[in-house]
Amino acid sequence: MLKDLSVAAVLPASDISRARDFYRDKLGLEPDNPDATDNLLYKCGNGTAFLIYQTPNAGSAKNTQMGWTTDNLDEEMADLKSRGVVFEEYDFPGLKTENGVATMPDGERGGWFLDSEGNILSIATMP
């Protein structure tokens, strides 16, 4: 059954070289397949991973496509900001950020940012 299997995100990139630079320089990540030319595989905590692949369709989604969870949102966001990551500001019904952070009624806090390809990524802490 799917509920017992690992899951991984897949993100589009219109410029795989630019994406590699962003994920290295801004997020501090190196691909596990550094010699690949049309996709990048990144492994993260607890056996999770994500793939970035070359396509002209990148940046067209208007929703969060991938996110990380952390126990210390403020520390992680400060580190990302020091690397040049810019967090989005939202003011929608049910979602308002202040200094890039939204606090949900259940206590979850999170922030969103765009990668070099226009993909919407998030980092959050769960209560």
Side-chain angles (χ1 to χ4, degrees):
M1 291 274 115
L2 292 179
K3 69 179 183 112
D4 297 322
L5 300 178
S6 297
V7 66
V10 179
L11 299 173
S14 57
D15 185 326
I16 202 79
S17 179
R18 179 178 60 205
R20 179 192 305 263
D21 292 347
F22 176 87
Y23 282 82
R24 180 192 62 232
D25 299 342
K26 305 291 188 195
L27 306 186
L29 300 172
E30 293 288 346
D32 274 28
N33 59 340
D35 297 328
T37 59
D38 64 349
N39 70 81
L40 302 168
L41 176 66
Y42 293 93
K43 293 189 178 172
C44 294
N46 301 316
T48 59
F50 66 97
L51 179 80
I52 298 175
Y53 71 100
Q54 182 98 19
T55 176
N57 300 320
S60 59
K62 303 296 181 211
N63 58 286
T64 305
Q65 293 171 269
M66 183 176 74
W68 288 268
T69 57
T70 179
D71 291 331
N72 193 330
L73 181 66
D74 297 323
E75 183 178 298
E76 295 291 346
M77 285 182 69
D79 178 59
L80 290 168
K81 286 177 182 179
S82 76
R83 296 169 178 260
V85 172
V86 176
F87 285 85
E88 298 292 298
E89 293 293 343
Y90 296 117
D91 190 359
F92 301 129
L95 178 71
K96 180 171 175 50
T97 55
E98 292 183 29
N99 297 318
V101 178
T103 302
M104 307 302 173
D106 67 357
E108 177 185 352
R109 296 175 63 234
W112 292 264
F113 59 96
L114 302 178
D115 74 1
S116 61
E117 307 309 297
N119 298 310
I120 301 172
L121 309 178
S122 72
I123 185 162
T125 184
M126 307 294 181

